[in-house]
Coordinates of all heavy atoms in Angstrom, one line a residue:
V633 N 31.0 -14.2 -55.3 CA 31.8 -14.7 -54.2 C 31.4 -13.9 -53.0 O 31.3 -12.7 -53.0 CB 33.3 -14.4 -54.5 CG1 34.2 -14.8 -53.3 CG2 33.8 -15.1 -55.7
W634 N 31.1 -14.7 -51.9 CA 30.7 -14.1 -50.7 C 31.9 -13.6 -49.9 O 33.0 -14.1 -50.2 CB 29.9 -15.0 -49.8 CG 28.6 -15.4 -50.5 CD1 28.3 -16.6 -51.1 CD2 27.5 -14.6 -50.6 NE1 27.0 -16.5 -51.6 CE2 26.5 -15.3 -51.3 CE3 27.1 -13.3 -50.2 CZ2 25.2 -14.8 -51.6 CZ3 25.9 -12.8 -50.5 CH2 24.9 -13.5 -51.2
N635 N 31.8 -12.7 -49.0 CA 32.8 -12.2 -48.2 C 33.8 -11.4 -49.1 O 35.0 -11.4 -48.8 CB 33.6 -13.3 -47.4 CG 34.3 -12.7 -46.2 OD1 34.0 -11.6 -45.8 ND2 35.3 -13.5 -45.7
N636 N 33.3 -10.8 -50.1 CA 34.2 -9.9 -51.0 C 33.4 -8.7 -51.3 O 32.4 -8.7 -52.0 CB 34.5 -10.7 -52.3 CG 35.3 -9.8 -53.2 OD1 35.5 -8.6 -53.0 ND2 35.8 -10.4 -54.3
S637 N 33.8 -7.5 -50.7 CA 33.0 -6.3 -50.8 C 33.0 -5.8 -52.2 O 32.2 -4.9 -52.6 CB 33.5 -5.2 -49.9 OG 34.9 -4.9 -50.2
K638 N 33.8 -6.3 -53.1 CA 33.8 -5.9 -54.5 C 32.9 -6.7 -55.4 O 32.8 -6.4 -56.6 CB 35.3 -5.9 -55.0 CG 36.1 -4.9 -54.4 CD 37.5 -4.9 -54.9 CE 38.4 -3.9 -54.2 NZ 39.8 -3.9 -54.6
S639 N 32.3 -7.7 -54.8 CA 31.5 -8.6 -55.6 C 30.0 -8.4 -55.2 O 29.5 -9.0 -54.3 CB 31.9 -10.1 -55.3 OG 31.0 -11.0 -56.0
E640 N 29.3 -7.5 -55.9 CA 28.0 -7.2 -55.6 C 27.0 -8.3 -56.0 O 27.2 -9.0 -57.0 CB 27.5 -5.9 -56.2 CG 28.2 -4.7 -55.7 CD 27.8 -4.3 -54.3 OE1 26.6 -4.3 -54.0 OE2 28.6 -4.1 -53.4
K641 N 26.0 -8.6 -55.2 CA 24.9 -9.4 -55.6 C 23.6 -8.5 -55.5 O 23.5 -7.6 -54.7 CB 24.7 -10.6 -54.6 CG 25.8 -11.6 -54.6 CD 26.8 -11.2 -53.7 CE 27.9 -12.2 -53.6 NZ 29.1 -11.5 -53.1
Y642 N 22.6 -8.9 -56.4 CA 21.5 -8.0 -56.5 C 20.2 -8.8 -56.1 O 20.2 -10.0 -56.4 CB 21.4 -7.5 -57.9 CG 22.6 -6.6 -58.2 CD1 23.7 -7.1 -58.7 CD2 22.5 -5.2 -57.9 CE1 24.8 -6.3 -59.0 CE2 23.6 -4.4 -58.2 CZ 24.8 -5.0 -58.7 OH 25.9 -4.2 -58.9
Y643 N 19.2 -8.2 -55.5 CA 18.0 -8.8 -55.1 C 16.8 -7.9 -55.4 O 17.0 -6.7 -55.6 CB 18.1 -9.2 -53.6 CG 18.2 -8.0 -52.7 CD1 17.1 -7.4 -52.2 CD2 19.4 -7.5 -52.4 CE1 17.2 -6.3 -51.3 CE2 19.6 -6.4 -51.6 CZ 18.4 -5.8 -51.0 OH 18.5 -4.8 -50.2
I644 N 15.7 -8.5 -55.5 CA 14.4 -7.8 -55.7 C 13.7 -7.6 -54.4 O 13.6 -8.6 -53.6 CB 13.5 -8.6 -56.7 CG1 14.3 -8.7 -58.1 CG2 12.2 -7.9 -56.9 CD1 13.6 -9.6 -59.1
F645 N 13.2 -6.4 -54.2 CA 12.4 -6.2 -53.0 C 11.2 -5.3 -53.4 O 11.2 -4.6 -54.4 CB 13.2 -5.6 -51.9 CG 13.7 -4.2 -52.0 CD1 13.0 -3.2 -51.5 CD2 14.9 -4.0 -52.8 CE1 13.5 -1.9 -51.6 CE2 15.4 -2.7 -52.9 CZ 14.7 -1.6 -52.3
Y646 N 10.2 -5.2 -52.5 CA 9.0 -4.4 -52.7 C 9.0 -3.3 -51.7 O 9.2 -3.6 -50.5 CB 7.8 -5.3 -52.6 CG 6.5 -4.6 -52.8 CD1 6.0 -4.3 -54.0 CD2 5.7 -4.2 -51.7 CE1 4.8 -3.6 -54.2 CE2 4.5 -3.5 -51.9 CZ 4.1 -3.2 -53.1 OH 2.9 -2.6 -53.3
S647 N 8.7 -2.1 -52.1 CA 8.6 -1.0 -51.1 C 7.2 -0.9 -50.6 O 6.3 -0.4 -51.3 CB 9.0 0.3 -51.8 OG 8.7 1.4 -51.0
H648 N 7.0 -1.4 -49.4 CA 5.6 -1.2 -48.8 C 5.3 0.2 -48.4 O 4.1 0.6 -48.3 CB 5.5 -2.1 -47.5 CG 5.5 -3.6 -47.8 ND1 4.3 -4.2 -48.2 CD2 6.5 -4.5 -47.9 CE1 4.5 -5.5 -48.4 NE2 5.8 -5.7 -48.3
H649 N 6.3 1.0 -48.3 CA 6.1 2.5 -48.1 C 5.4 3.1 -49.3 O 4.4 3.8 -49.1 CB 7.4 3.2 -47.8 CG 7.2 4.6 -47.5 ND1 6.7 5.1 -46.4 CD2 7.5 5.7 -48.3 CE1 6.7 6.5 -46.5 NE2 7.2 6.8 -47.6
F650 N 5.8 2.8 -50.5 CA 5.2 3.4 -51.6 C 4.2 2.6 -52.2 O 3.3 3.0 -53.0 CB 6.3 3.7 -52.7 CG 7.3 4.8 -52.3 CD1 8.6 4.4 -52.0 CD2 6.9 6.1 -52.1 CE1 9.5 5.3 -51.5 CE2 7.9 7.0 -51.7 CZ 9.1 6.7 -51.4
K651 N 4.2 1.3 -51.9 CA 3.2 0.3 -52.4 C 3.0 0.2 -53.9 O 2.0 -0.2 -54.4 CB 1.8 0.5 -51.7 CG 1.9 0.4 -50.2 CD 0.5 0.5 -49.6 CE 0.5 0.5 -48.1 NZ 0.7 -0.7 -47.5
T652 N 4.0 0.6 -54.6 CA 3.9 0.5 -56.1 C 5.1 0.0 -56.8 O 5.1 -0.1 -58.0 CB 3.5 1.9 -56.7 OG1 4.5 2.8 -56.3 CG2 2.2 2.4 -56.2
E653 N 6.2 -0.2 -56.0 CA 7.4 -0.4 -56.7 C 8.1 -1.7 -56.4 O 8.2 -2.1 -55.2 CB 8.4 0.7 -56.4 CG 8.0 2.0 -56.9 CD 9.1 3.0 -56.7 OE1 10.2 2.9 -57.3 OE2 8.9 4.0 -55.9
L654 N 8.5 -2.4 -57.4 CA 9.5 -3.5 -57.2 C 10.8 -2.9 -57.5 O 11.0 -2.3 -58.6 CB 9.2 -4.6 -58.2 CG 7.9 -5.4 -57.9 CD1 7.5 -6.2 -59.2 CD2 8.1 -6.3 -56.8
L655 N 11.8 -3.1 -56.6 CA 13.1 -2.4 -56.7 C 14.2 -3.4 -56.7 O 14.0 -4.6 -56.2 CB 13.2 -1.4 -55.6 CG 12.1 -0.3 -55.5 CD1 12.2 0.4 -54.2 CD2 12.3 0.6 -56.6
V656 N 15.4 -3.0 -57.1 CA 16.6 -3.8 -57.0 C 17.5 -3.2 -56.0 O 17.8 -2.0 -56.0 CB 17.2 -3.9 -58.4 CG1 18.5 -4.7 -58.3 CG2 16.3 -4.5 -59.4
G657 N 18.0 -4.1 -55.1 CA 19.0 -3.6 -54.1 C 20.2 -4.5 -54.3 O 20.2 -5.4 -55.1
S658 N 21.3 -4.1 -53.6 CA 22.5 -4.9 -53.7 C 23.2 -5.1 -52.3 O 23.0 -4.3 -51.4 CB 23.5 -4.2 -54.7 OG 24.0 -3.0 -54.1
Y659 N 24.0 -6.1 -52.2 CA 24.8 -6.4 -51.1 C 26.0 -7.2 -51.5 O 26.1 -7.7 -52.6 CB 24.0 -7.2 -50.0 CG 23.2 -8.4 -50.5 CD1 23.9 -9.6 -50.6 CD2 21.9 -8.3 -50.9 CE1 23.2 -10.7 -51.1 CE2 21.2 -9.4 -51.3 CZ 21.8 -10.6 -51.4 OH 21.2 -11.7 -51.9
S660 N 27.0 -7.2 -50.7 CA 28.2 -7.9 -51.1 C 28.7 -9.0 -50.1 O 29.2 -10.0 -50.5 CB 29.3 -6.9 -51.3 OG 29.6 -6.2 -50.2
T661 N 28.5 -8.7 -48.8 CA 29.1 -9.7 -47.8 C 28.0 -10.3 -46.9 O 28.4 -11.0 -46.0 CB 30.1 -9.0 -47.0 OG1 29.5 -7.9 -46.3 CG2 31.3 -8.5 -47.8
T662 N 26.7 -10.0 -47.1 CA 25.7 -10.5 -46.3 C 24.9 -11.5 -47.1 O 24.4 -11.2 -48.2 CB 24.7 -9.4 -45.8 OG1 25.5 -8.5 -45.1 CG2 23.7 -10.0 -44.9
E663 N 24.8 -12.8 -46.6 CA 24.0 -13.8 -47.3 C 22.8 -14.1 -46.5 O 22.9 -14.3 -45.3 CB 24.9 -15.1 -47.4 CG 24.3 -16.1 -48.3 CD 25.2 -17.3 -48.5 OE1 26.4 -17.3 -48.1 OE2 24.8 -18.2 -49.2
Y664 N 21.6 -14.1 -47.1 CA 20.4 -14.4 -46.5 C 19.9 -15.8 -46.8 O 20.1 -16.3 -47.9 CB 19.3 -13.4 -46.9 CG 19.6 -12.0 -46.6 CD1 20.2 -11.1 -47.5 CD2 19.4 -11.5 -45.3 CE1 20.6 -9.8 -47.2 CE2 19.7 -10.2 -45.0 CZ 20.3 -9.4 -45.9 OH 20.6 -8.1 -45.6
A665 N 19.3 -16.4 -45.8 CA 18.7 -17.8 -46.0 C 17.6 -17.7 -47.0 O 16.8 -16.8 -47.0 CB 18.1 -18.3 -44.6
F666 N 17.7 -18.6 -47.9 CA 16.7 -18.8 -49.0 C 16.6 -17.6 -49.9 O 15.6 -17.4 -50.6 CB 15.3 -19.1 -48.4 CG 15.4 -20.2 -47.4 CD1 15.1 -20.0 -46.0 CD2 15.7 -21.5 -47.7 CE1 15.2 -21.0 -45.1 CE2 15.8 -22.5 -46.8 CZ 15.5 -22.3 -45.5
G667 N 17.5 -16.7 -49.8 CA 17.5 -15.5 -50.7 C 17.8 -15.8 -52.1 O 18.7 -16.7 -52.4
V668 N 17.2 -15.1 -53.0 CA 17.5 -15.2 -54.4 C 18.3 -14.0 -54.8 O 17.9 -12.9 -54.5 CB 16.2 -15.3 -55.3 CG1 16.5 -15.3 -56.7 CG2 15.3 -16.5 -54.9
H669 N 19.4 -14.2 -55.4 CA 20.2 -13.1 -55.8 C 20.7 -13.3 -57.3 O 20.7 -14.4 -57.8 CB 21.4 -12.9 -54.9 CG 22.4 -14.0 -54.9 ND1 22.3 -15.1 -54.1 CD2 23.5 -14.2 -55.7 CE1 23.3 -15.9 -54.3 NE2 24.1 -15.4 -55.3
F670 N 21.0 -12.2 -57.9 CA 21.4 -12.1 -59.3 C 22.8 -11.6 -59.4 O 23.2 -10.8 -58.6 CB 20.4 -11.2 -60.1 CG 19.0 -11.6 -59.9 CD1 18.2 -11.2 -58.9 CD2 18.4 -12.5 -60.9 CE1 16.9 -11.6 -58.8 CE2 17.1 -12.9 -60.8 CZ 16.3 -12.5 -59.7
D671 N 23.5 -11.9 -60.5 CA 24.8 -11.5 -60.6 C 25.0 -10.1 -61.1 O 26.0 -9.4 -60.9 CB 25.6 -12.4 -61.6 CG 25.0 -12.5 -63.0 OD1 23.8 -12.2 -63.1 OD2 25.7 -13.0 -63.9
T672 N 23.9 -9.6 -61.8 CA 23.9 -8.2 -62.2 C 22.6 -7.5 -62.0 O 21.6 -8.2 -61.8 CB 24.2 -8.0 -63.8 OG1 23.1 -8.6 -64.5 CG2 25.5 -8.8 -64.1
K673 N 22.6 -6.2 -61.9 CA 21.4 -5.4 -61.7 C 20.5 -5.6 -62.9 O 19.3 -5.7 -62.7 CB 21.7 -3.9 -61.5 CG 20.6 -3.1 -61.3 CD 20.9 -1.6 -61.0 CE 19.7 -0.8 -60.8 NZ 20.0 0.6 -60.6
E674 N 21.1 -5.7 -64.1 CA 20.3 -5.9 -65.3 C 19.5 -7.2 -65.3 O 18.4 -7.3 -65.7 CB 21.2 -5.8 -66.5 CG 21.8 -4.5 -66.8 CD 22.9 -4.0 -65.9 OE1 23.6 -4.9 -65.2 OE2 23.2 -2.8 -65.8
H675 N 20.1 -8.3 -64.7 CA 19.4 -9.5 -64.6 C 18.2 -9.4 -63.7 O 17.2 -10.0 -64.0 CB 20.3 -10.7 -64.2 CG 21.2 -11.1 -65.3 ND1 22.5 -11.7 -65.0 CD2 21.1 -11.1 -66.6 CE1 23.1 -12.0 -66.2 NE2 22.3 -11.7 -67.1
A676 N 18.4 -8.8 -62.6 CA 17.3 -8.6 -61.6 C 16.2 -7.7 -62.3 O 15.0 -8.0 -62.1 CB 17.8 -7.9 -60.4
E677 N 16.5 -6.7 -63.0 CA 15.5 -5.9 -63.7 C 14.8 -6.7 -64.8 O 13.6 -6.5 -64.9 CB 16.2 -4.6 -64.3 CG 16.7 -3.7 -63.2 CD 17.5 -2.5 -63.7 OE1 18.1 -2.7 -64.8 OE2 17.7 -1.5 -63.0
L678 N 15.5 -7.5 -65.5 CA 14.8 -8.4 -66.5 C 13.8 -9.3 -65.8 O 12.7 -9.6 -66.3 CB 15.9 -9.2 -67.3 CG 16.6 -8.5 -68.3 CD1 17.8 -9.3 -68.9 CD2 15.7 -8.0 -69.4
C679 N 14.2 -9.8 -64.6 CA 13.3 -10.7 -63.9 C 12.0 -9.9 -63.5 O 10.9 -10.5 -63.6 CB 14.0 -11.3 -62.7 SG 13.0 -12.5 -61.8
I680 N 12.2 -8.7 -63.0 CA 11.0 -7.9 -62.7 C 10.2 -7.7 -63.9 O 8.9 -7.8 -63.8 CB 11.5 -6.5 -62.1 CG1 12.1 -6.7 -60.7 CG2 10.3 -5.5 -62.1 CD1 12.7 -5.4 -60.1
E681 N 10.7 -7.4 -65.1 CA 9.9 -7.2 -66.3 C 9.2 -8.5 -66.6 O 8.0 -8.4 -67.0 CB 10.8 -6.8 -67.4 CG 11.4 -5.4 -67.4 CD 12.3 -5.1 -68.6 OE1 12.1 -5.7 -69.6 OE2 13.2 -4.3 -68.4
E682 N 9.8 -9.6 -66.6 CA 9.3 -10.9 -67.0 C 8.2 -11.4 -66.0 O 7.2 -11.9 -66.4 CB 10.4 -11.9 -67.1 CG 9.9 -13.3 -67.5 CD 9.5 -13.4 -69.0 OE1 10.0 -12.6 -69.8 OE2 8.7 -14.3 -69.3
F683 N 8.4 -11.1 -64.7 CA 7.5 -11.7 -63.7 C 6.9 -10.6 -62.8 O 6.6 -10.9 -61.6 CB 8.3 -12.7 -62.8 CG 8.9 -13.8 -63.6 CD1 10.2 -13.9 -63.9 CD2 8.0 -14.9 -64.0 CE1 10.7 -14.9 -64.6 CE2 8.6 -15.9 -64.8 CZ 9.9 -15.9 -65.1
K684 N 6.6 -9.4 -63.3 CA 6.1 -8.3 -62.5 C 4.8 -8.7 -61.8 O 4.7 -8.4 -60.6 CB 5.9 -7.1 -63.4 CG 5.5 -5.9 -62.6 CD 5.5 -4.6 -63.4 CE 5.2 -3.5 -62.5 NZ 5.3 -2.2 -63.1
D685 N 3.9 -9.3 -62.5 CA 2.6 -9.6 -61.9 C 2.7 -10.6 -60.8 O 2.2 -10.5 -59.7 CB 1.6 -10.1 -62.9 CG 1.1 -9.0 -63.9 OD1 1.3 -7.8 -63.6 OD2 0.7 -9.4 -65.0
E686 N 3.5 -11.6 -61.0 CA 3.8 -12.7 -60.0 C 4.5 -12.1 -58.8 O 4.2 -12.5 -57.7 CB 4.5 -13.9 -60.6 CG 3.8 -14.6 -61.7 CD 3.9 -14.0 -63.1 OE1 4.4 -12.9 -63.3 OE2 3.5 -14.8 -64.0
L687 N 5.5 -11.3 -59.0 CA 6.3 -10.7 -57.9 C 5.4 -9.8 -57.1 O 5.5 -9.8 -55.9 CB 7.5 -10.0 -58.5 CG 8.6 -10.9 -59.0 CD1 9.6 -10.1 -59.8 CD2 9.3 -11.6 -57.8
T688 N 4.6 -9.0 -57.8 CA 3.7 -8.1 -57.1 C 2.7 -8.9 -56.2 O 2.5 -8.5 -55.0 CB 3.0 -7.2 -58.0 OG1 3.9 -6.4 -58.8 CG2 2.0 -6.2 -57.3
W689 N 2.2 -9.9 -56.7 CA 1.3 -10.8 -55.9 C 2.0 -11.4 -54.7 O 1.5 -11.3 -53.6 CB 0.7 -11.9 -56.8 CG 0.0 -12.9 -56.0 CD1 -1.3 -12.9 -55.6 CD2 0.5 -14.1 -55.4 NE1 -1.7 -13.9 -54.9 CE2 -0.6 -14.7 -54.7 CE3 1.7 -14.8 -55.4 CZ2 -0.4 -16.0 -54.0 CZ3 1.9 -15.9 -54.7 CH2 0.8 -16.5 -54.0
Y690 N 3.2 -11.9 -55.0 CA 4.0 -12.5 -53.9 C 4.2 -11.5 -52.7 O 4.0 -11.8 -51.6 CB 5.3 -13.0 -54.4 CG 6.2 -13.5 -53.3 CD1 6.0 -14.7 -52.8 CD2 7.3 -12.7 -52.8 CE1 6.8 -15.2 -51.7 CE2 8.1 -13.1 -51.8 CZ 7.9 -14.4 -51.3 OH 8.7 -14.8 -50.2
F691 N 4.6 -10.3 -53.1 CA 4.9 -9.3 -52.1 C 3.7 -8.6 -51.4 O 3.7 -8.1 -50.3 CB 5.8 -8.2 -52.6 CG 7.2 -8.6 -52.8 CD1 7.8 -8.7 -54.1 CD2 8.0 -8.9 -51.7 CE1 9.1 -9.1 -54.2 CE2 9.4 -9.3 -51.9 CZ 9.9 -9.4 -53.1
T692 N 2.5 -8.7 -52.1 CA 1.4 -7.9 -51.6 C 0.2 -8.8 -51.2 O -0.6 -8.4 -50.3 CB 0.8 -7.0 -52.7 OG1 0.4 -7.7 -53.8 CG2 1.9 -5.9 -53.0
E693 N 0.1 -10.0 -51.7 CA -1.1 -10.9 -51.4 C -0.7 -12.2 -50.8 O -1.5 -12.8 -50.1 CB -1.9 -11.1 -52.6 CG -2.5 -9.8 -53.2 CD -3.3 -10.0 -54.4 OE1 -4.1 -11.0 -54.4 OE2 -3.2 -9.2 -55.4
C694 N 0.4 -12.8 -51.1 CA 0.8 -14.1 -50.6 C 1.0 -14.0 -49.1 O 1.6 -13.1 -48.6 CB 2.1 -14.5 -51.3 SG 2.7 -16.1 -50.7
R695 N 0.4 -15.0 -48.4 CA 0.6 -15.0 -46.9 C 1.8 -15.8 -46.6 O 2.0 -16.9 -47.1 CB -0.7 -15.6 -46.3 CG -1.9 -14.7 -46.5 CD -3.0 -15.0 -45.7 NE -3.4 -16.4 -45.7 CZ -4.5 -16.9 -45.1 NH1 -5.2 -16.1 -44.3 NH2 -4.8 -18.2 -45.2
D696 N 2.6 -15.4 -45.6 CA 3.8 -16.0 -45.2 C 3.5 -17.4 -44.5 O 4.3 -18.3 -44.5 CB 4.6 -15.2 -44.3 CG 5.2 -14.0 -45.0 OD1 5.3 -14.0 -46.2 OD2 5.6 -13.0 -44.3
R697 N 2.4 -17.4 -43.8 CA 2.0 -18.6 -43.0 C 0.7 -19.1 -43.5 O -0.2 -18.4 -43.7 CB 2.0 -18.2 -41.6 CG 3.3 -17.8 -41.0 CD 3.2 -17.3 -39.6 NE 2.6 -18.4 -38.8 CZ 2.8 -18.6 -37.5 NH1 3.6 -17.8 -36.9 NH2 2.2 -19.6 -36.9
M698 N 0.6 -20.4 -43.5 CA -0.7 -21.0 -43.9 C -1.7 -21.1 -42.8 O -2.9 -21.3 -43.0 CB -0.4 -22.5 -44.4 CG 0.4 -22.6 -45.6 SD -0.2 -21.6 -47.0 CE -1.6 -22.7 -47.4
D699 N -1.3 -20.8 -41.5 CA -2.3 -20.9 -40.4 C -2.8 -19.6 -39.9 O -3.5 -19.5 -38.9 CB -1.6 -21.6 -39.2 CG -0.4 -20.9 -38.7 OD1 0.1 -20.0 -39.3 OD2 0.0 -21.2 -37.6
G700 N -2.5 -18.5 -40.7 CA -2.9 -17.2 -40.2 C -3.6 -16.4 -41.1 O -4.0 -16.2 -42.1

């Protein structure tokens, strides 16, 4: 449920500072356009385990724009 500070949502992000980690963050009242979120931290971590190579490619090699 959005707009409820007791209802955490979890997302996957990549730390460009360390360049080696896929991490899980959480938020409760901020909704991002096209954002993928998980109901539990464990579900987000399972997704990282299952799709680690694909997620790493997405965050490190995939280009955001096709014209650049």
Side-chain angles (χ1 to χ4, degrees):
V633 176
W634 295 106
N635 202 21
N636 178 349
S637 62
K638 294 181 181 178
S639 177
E640 291 291 314
K641 290 93 177 155
Y642 299 87
Y643 62 95
I644 296 170
F645 69 98
Y646 180 81
S647 172
H648 287 276
H649 178 73
F650 295 110
K651 297 185 187 281
T652 58
E653 293 187 66
L654 290 164
L655 303 167
V656 176
S658 68
Y659 48 86
S660 59
T661 60
T662 303
E663 185 173 2
Y664 297 97
F666 313 110
V668 175
H669 65 273
F670 302 87
D671 59 343
T672 67
K673 183 177 181 181
E674 291 76 20
H675 284 154
E677 290 169 341
L678 285 171
C679 186
I680 289 174
E681 287 179 29
E682 180 75 23
F683 300 104
K684 185 173 184 172
D685 292 340
E686 293 88 345
L687 288 165
T688 300
W689 173 85
Y690 174 78
F691 284 114
T692 60
E693 297 180 42
C694 180
R695 296 193 306 181
D696 291 342
R697 297 176 53 152
M698 295 303 289
D699 64 346

